[in-house]
Every structure is written in structure tokens, then in C-alpha cells.
Amino acid sequence: MKKLVLLSALAFLISGQALATGHKRNPGVICAENQFITQLEFGYITNIQGGPDYGSSVLVHLSNGESIPLNYRYNANDRQGKAIIDALTLAYFSQRKVTLLDHFKNNCDDFDHLILPSP
């Protein structure tokens, strides 16, 4: 019996580690590559994935005509979102190209990763 419990616990730990490692290694999908930001929207945006999030939504309009919202877990009311918003604002005002990636579902309905290359 002890052996069965020990083997079950070991299998559980290994499967949990595999899931955690797989998530960390998700390379994401490029949703927009080397695009200028033409407009930024902040606030109660209702027509986006994740909804208005109590007025904390962010929507990025790009030079290729696409509009992609920032993932609701990384927007204006989330600590980690503030750095992304700062980088988006910097890219917008300095007219720098950005690359946006989606790691959450890999379907580009929103983005959670911003690359701001050097000029």
C-alpha cells in the first residue's frame, strides 16, 4: 500500500512538473511583426477579447490595419501590465516598430508579450 501511495505521489509530481515546464517553454505566436502603433486606446473598451475589465483595457491599433487588445491579465490594473503600457507608449511617441506575441492561447485574440527592438 505504501508503495502504491508513493508511486502515485511521484507520478503526480512528474506530471505537474511536465505541465509547468511545457507552459514556461511556450514560444508564443507572433501576432504582429515590425509594425508602427497608429493609435492607443485605454479604458472601458467593450468590443475586445476579455471585455472592458472595469475600465482597465488597452487596445493597440497597428499600421497594418490590425487592432489587438492587451491580454486582460496584463492591462492597466495589473502590476505587470504597467511595464507593457509604458513600452507601448514609448513606441508610439518615438515611432518605433513593435512585435506583439500571444502566449496565452496562441490564437492572437490578444497579446501578452511586446518586443521593442532598438532603432
mmCIF file with all atom_site columns, all heavy atoms in Angstrom, residues 52-63:
data_model
loop_
_atom_site.group_PDB
_atom_site.id
_atom_site.type_symbol
_atom_site.label_atom_id
_atom_site.label_alt_id
_atom_site.label_comp_id
_atom_site.label_asym_id
_atom_site.label_entity_id
_atom_site.label_seq_id
_atom_site.pdbx_PDB_ins_code
_atom_site.Cartn_x
_atom_site.Cartn_y
_atom_site.Cartn_z
_atom_site.occupancy
_atom_site.B_iso_or_equiv
_atom_site.pdbx_formal_charge
_atom_site.auth_seq_id
_atom_site.auth_comp_id
_atom_site.auth_asym_id
_atom_site.auth_atom_id
_atom_site.pdbx_PDB_model_num
ATOM 1  N N   . PRO A 1 52 ? -14.168 44.989 -21.123 1.00 0.00 ? 52 PRO A N   1
ATOM 2  C CA  . PRO A 1 52 ? -13.640 46.268 -20.661 1.00 0.00 ? 52 PRO A CA  1
ATOM 3  C C   . PRO A 1 52 ? -12.838 46.198 -19.362 1.00 0.00 ? 52 PRO A C   1
ATOM 4  O O   . PRO A 1 52 ? -12.154 47.156 -19.026 1.00 0.00 ? 52 PRO A O   1
ATOM 5  C CB  . PRO A 1 52 ? -14.894 47.118 -20.479 1.00 0.00 ? 52 PRO A CB  1
ATOM 6  C CG  . PRO A 1 52 ? -15.992 46.146 -20.252 1.00 0.00 ? 52 PRO A CG  1
ATOM 7  C CD  . PRO A 1 52 ? -15.631 44.929 -21.042 1.00 0.00 ? 52 PRO A CD  1
ATOM 8  N N   . ASP A 1 53 ? -12.912 45.085 -18.633 1.00 0.00 ? 53 ASP A N   1
ATOM 9  C CA  . ASP A 1 53 ? -12.161 44.893 -17.385 1.00 0.00 ? 53 ASP A CA  1
ATOM 10 C C   . ASP A 1 53 ? -12.261 46.113 -16.471 1.00 0.00 ? 53 ASP A C   1
ATOM 11 O O   . ASP A 1 53 ? -11.262 46.663 -16.034 1.00 0.00 ? 53 ASP A O   1
ATOM 12 C CB  . ASP A 1 53 ? -10.707 44.544 -17.680 1.00 0.00 ? 53 ASP A CB  1
ATOM 13 C CG  . ASP A 1 53 ? -9.990  43.984 -16.459 1.00 0.00 ? 53 ASP A CG  1
ATOM 14 O OD1 . ASP A 1 53 ? -10.669 43.526 -15.525 1.00 0.00 ? 53 ASP A OD1 1
ATOM 15 O OD2 . ASP A 1 53 ? -8.751  44.003 -16.438 1.00 0.00 ? 53 ASP A OD2 1
ATOM 16 N N   . TYR A 1 54 ? -13.484 46.565 -16.247 1.00 0.00 ? 54 TYR A N   1
ATOM 17 C CA  . TYR A 1 54 ? -13.762 47.685 -15.335 1.00 0.00 ? 54 TYR A CA  1
ATOM 18 C C   . TYR A 1 54 ? -13.021 48.964 -15.728 1.00 0.00 ? 54 TYR A C   1
ATOM 19 O O   . TYR A 1 54 ? -12.588 49.736 -14.889 1.00 0.00 ? 54 TYR A O   1
ATOM 20 C CB  . TYR A 1 54 ? -13.437 47.298 -13.896 1.00 0.00 ? 54 TYR A CB  1
ATOM 21 C CG  . TYR A 1 54 ? -14.155 46.056 -13.449 1.00 0.00 ? 54 TYR A CG  1
ATOM 22 C CD1 . TYR A 1 54 ? -13.489 44.838 -13.405 1.00 0.00 ? 54 TYR A CD1 1
ATOM 23 C CD2 . TYR A 1 54 ? -15.504 46.096 -13.119 1.00 0.00 ? 54 TYR A CD2 1
ATOM 24 C CE1 . TYR A 1 54 ? -14.170 43.682 -13.019 1.00 0.00 ? 54 TYR A CE1 1
ATOM 25 C CE2 . TYR A 1 54 ? -16.183 44.948 -12.739 1.00 0.00 ? 54 TYR A CE2 1
ATOM 26 C CZ  . TYR A 1 54 ? -15.504 43.748 -12.691 1.00 0.00 ? 54 TYR A CZ  1
ATOM 27 O OH  . TYR A 1 54 ? -16.171 42.614 -12.316 1.00 0.00 ? 54 TYR A OH  1
ATOM 28 N N   . GLY A 1 55 ? -12.823 49.171 -17.014 1.00 0.00 ? 55 GLY A N   1
ATOM 29 C CA  . GLY A 1 55 ? -12.174 50.388 -17.489 1.00 0.00 ? 55 GLY A CA  1
ATOM 30 C C   . GLY A 1 55 ? -10.660 50.324 -17.546 1.00 0.00 ? 55 GLY A C   1
ATOM 31 O O   . GLY A 1 55 ? -9.997  51.341 -17.682 1.00 0.00 ? 55 GLY A O   1
ATOM 32 N N   . SER A 1 56 ? -10.097 49.128 -17.485 1.00 0.00 ? 56 SER A N   1
ATOM 33 C CA  . SER A 1 56 ? -8.637  48.979 -17.491 1.00 0.00 ? 56 SER A CA  1
ATOM 34 C C   . SER A 1 56 ? -8.097  48.407 -18.793 1.00 0.00 ? 56 SER A C   1
ATOM 35 O O   . SER A 1 56 ? -6.940  48.017 -18.867 1.00 0.00 ? 56 SER A O   1
ATOM 36 C CB  . SER A 1 56 ? -8.207  48.068 -16.342 1.00 0.00 ? 56 SER A CB  1
ATOM 37 O OG  . SER A 1 56 ? -8.564  48.646 -15.110 1.00 0.00 ? 56 SER A OG  1
ATOM 38 N N   . SER A 1 57 ? -8.904  48.342 -19.826 1.00 0.00 ? 57 SER A N   1
ATOM 39 C CA  . SER A 1 57 ? -8.499  47.725 -21.092 1.00 0.00 ? 57 SER A CA  1
ATOM 40 C C   . SER A 1 57 ? -7.544  48.609 -21.883 1.00 0.00 ? 57 SER A C   1
ATOM 41 O O   . SER A 1 57 ? -7.543  49.830 -21.754 1.00 0.00 ? 57 SER A O   1
ATOM 42 C CB  . SER A 1 57 ? -9.731  47.443 -21.952 1.00 0.00 ? 57 SER A CB  1
ATOM 43 O OG  . SER A 1 57 ? -10.579 46.552 -21.297 1.00 0.00 ? 57 SER A OG  1
ATOM 44 N N   . VAL A 1 58 ? -6.767  47.939 -22.736 1.00 0.00 ? 58 VAL A N   1
ATOM 45 C CA  . VAL A 1 58 ? -5.837  48.615 -23.636 1.00 0.00 ? 58 VAL A CA  1
ATOM 46 C C   . VAL A 1 58 ? -5.992  47.981 -25.013 1.00 0.00 ? 58 VAL A C   1
ATOM 47 O O   . VAL A 1 58 ? -5.957  46.758 -25.144 1.00 0.00 ? 58 VAL A O   1
ATOM 48 C CB  . VAL A 1 58 ? -4.375  48.456 -23.157 1.00 0.00 ? 58 VAL A CB  1
ATOM 49 C CG1 . VAL A 1 58 ? -3.416  49.128 -24.126 1.00 0.00 ? 58 VAL A CG1 1
ATOM 50 C CG2 . VAL A 1 58 ? -4.202  49.016 -21.745 1.00 0.00 ? 58 VAL A CG2 1
ATOM 51 N N   . LEU A 1 59 ? -6.157  48.813 -26.038 1.00 0.00 ? 59 LEU A N   1
ATOM 52 C CA  . LEU A 1 59 ? -6.286  48.346 -27.410 1.00 0.00 ? 59 LEU A CA  1
ATOM 53 C C   . LEU A 1 59 ? -5.236  49.052 -28.259 1.00 0.00 ? 59 LEU A C   1
ATOM 54 O O   . LEU A 1 59 ? -5.124  50.281 -28.217 1.00 0.00 ? 59 LEU A O   1
ATOM 55 C CB  . LEU A 1 59 ? -7.685  48.632 -27.953 1.00 0.00 ? 59 LEU A CB  1
ATOM 56 C CG  . LEU A 1 59 ? -8.002  48.171 -29.373 1.00 0.00 ? 59 LEU A CG  1
ATOM 57 C CD1 . LEU A 1 59 ? -7.853  46.654 -29.514 1.00 0.00 ? 59 LEU A CD1 1
ATOM 58 C CD2 . LEU A 1 59 ? -9.399  48.615 -29.772 1.00 0.00 ? 59 LEU A CD2 1
ATOM 59 N N   . VAL A 1 60 ? -4.477  48.266 -29.010 1.00 0.00 ? 60 VAL A N   1
ATOM 60 C CA  . VAL A 1 60 ? -3.387  48.795 -29.834 1.00 0.00 ? 60 VAL A CA  1
ATOM 61 C C   . VAL A 1 60 ? -3.784  48.693 -31.304 1.00 0.00 ? 60 VAL A C   1
ATOM 62 O O   . VAL A 1 60 ? -4.122  47.611 -31.785 1.00 0.00 ? 60 VAL A O   1
ATOM 63 C CB  . VAL A 1 60 ? -2.087  47.999 -29.582 1.00 0.00 ? 60 VAL A CB  1
ATOM 64 C CG1 . VAL A 1 60 ? -0.957  48.511 -30.443 1.00 0.00 ? 60 VAL A CG1 1
ATOM 65 C CG2 . VAL A 1 60 ? -1.712  48.053 -28.108 1.00 0.00 ? 60 VAL A CG2 1
ATOM 66 N N   . HIS A 1 61 ? -3.746  49.811 -32.006 1.00 0.00 ? 61 HIS A N   1
ATOM 67 C CA  . HIS A 1 61 ? -4.014  49.857 -33.442 1.00 0.00 ? 61 HIS A CA  1
ATOM 68 C C   . HIS A 1 61 ? -2.667  49.940 -34.160 1.00 0.00 ? 61 HIS A C   1
ATOM 69 O O   . HIS A 1 61 ? -1.817  50.769 -33.804 1.00 0.00 ? 61 HIS A O   1
ATOM 70 C CB  . HIS A 1 61 ? -4.875  51.071 -33.803 1.00 0.00 ? 61 HIS A CB  1
ATOM 71 C CG  . HIS A 1 61 ? -6.207  51.067 -33.128 1.00 0.00 ? 61 HIS A CG  1
ATOM 72 N ND1 . HIS A 1 61 ? -7.315  50.461 -33.684 1.00 0.00 ? 61 HIS A ND1 1
ATOM 73 C CD2 . HIS A 1 61 ? -6.607  51.590 -31.946 1.00 0.00 ? 61 HIS A CD2 1
ATOM 74 C CE1 . HIS A 1 61 ? -8.351  50.620 -32.866 1.00 0.00 ? 61 HIS A CE1 1
ATOM 75 N NE2 . HIS A 1 61 ? -7.943  51.309 -31.811 1.00 0.00 ? 61 HIS A NE2 1
ATOM 76 N N   . LEU A 1 62 ? -2.483  49.103 -35.172 1.00 0.00 ? 62 LEU A N   1
ATOM 77 C CA  . LEU A 1 62 ? -1.200  48.991 -35.858 1.00 0.00 ? 62 LEU A CA  1
ATOM 78 C C   . LEU A 1 62 ? -1.269  49.497 -37.293 1.00 0.00 ? 62 LEU A C   1
ATOM 79 O O   . LEU A 1 62 ? -2.346  49.588 -37.884 1.00 0.00 ? 62 LEU A O   1
ATOM 80 C CB  . LEU A 1 62 ? -0.740  47.534 -35.831 1.00 0.00 ? 62 LEU A CB  1
ATOM 81 C CG  . LEU A 1 62 ? -0.591  46.933 -34.430 1.00 0.00 ? 62 LEU A CG  1
ATOM 82 C CD1 . LEU A 1 62 ? -0.473  45.434 -34.503 1.00 0.00 ? 62 LEU A CD1 1
ATOM 83 C CD2 . LEU A 1 62 ? 0.596   47.544 -33.724 1.00 0.00 ? 62 LEU A CD2 1
ATOM 84 N N   . SER A 1 63 ? -0.096  49.780 -37.849 1.00 0.00 ? 63 SER A N   1
ATOM 85 C CA  . SER A 1 63 ? -0.010  50.336 -39.202 1.00 0.00 ? 63 SER A CA  1
ATOM 86 C C   . SER A 1 63 ? -0.485  49.370 -40.285 1.00 0.00 ? 63 SER A C   1
ATOM 87 O O   . SER A 1 63 ? -0.803  49.805 -41.387 1.00 0.00 ? 63 SER A O   1
ATOM 88 C CB  . SER A 1 63 ? 1.418   50.802 -39.491 1.00 0.00 ? 63 SER A CB  1
ATOM 89 O OG  . SER A 1 63 ? 2.336   49.744 -39.309 1.00 0.00 ? 63 SER A OG  1
#
